Amino acid sequence: MEKSTYLLYGTEKDRKSQFSVLMGVGDAITTLSDVAKSYGVEFSEEVINRLQRELDEHIQKMKKG
């Protein structure tokens, strides 16, 4: 089964939007895992969870200003 993934680089405006950061970087984390699996490499759940946690921490910092 063939898959396509589209990722967009964030613009200066996107960097200020919590939603854009969350969705853009979240999609990139998911894509990283999916592409690795397609090559027979499977990152541990710990690695993926760590990336997601760091993203969540970044979003929390954005909320605080």
Side-chain angles (χ1 to χ4, degrees):
M1 181 171 143
E2 195 170 312
K3 284 184 165 183
S4 294
T5 302
Y6 297 92
L7 297 174
L8 301 174
Y9 283 103
T11 64
E12 189 65 37
K13 181 181 175 186
D14 292 330
R15 291 180 197 149
K16 297 174 184 169
S17 166
Q18 295 169 25
F19 179 77
S20 293
V21 171
L22 182 62
M23 297 307 295
V25 177
D27 287 348
I29 292 169
T30 300
T31 300
L32 169 69
S33 179
D34 291 346
V35 169
K37 285 178 187 174
S38 77
Y39 284 96
V41 176
E42 194 158 341
F43 292 114
S44 69
E45 191 172 319
E46 180 182 337
V47 169
I48 299 302
N49 288 344
R50 172 69 190 263
L51 291 170
Q52 193 62 50
R53 263 193 324 274
E54 290 200 27
L55 173 57
D56 291 342
E57 289 170 8
H58 181 79
I59 297 298
Q60 291 305 315
K61 287 178 186 175
M62 288 179 76
K63 286 180 181 179
K64 292 178 183 177

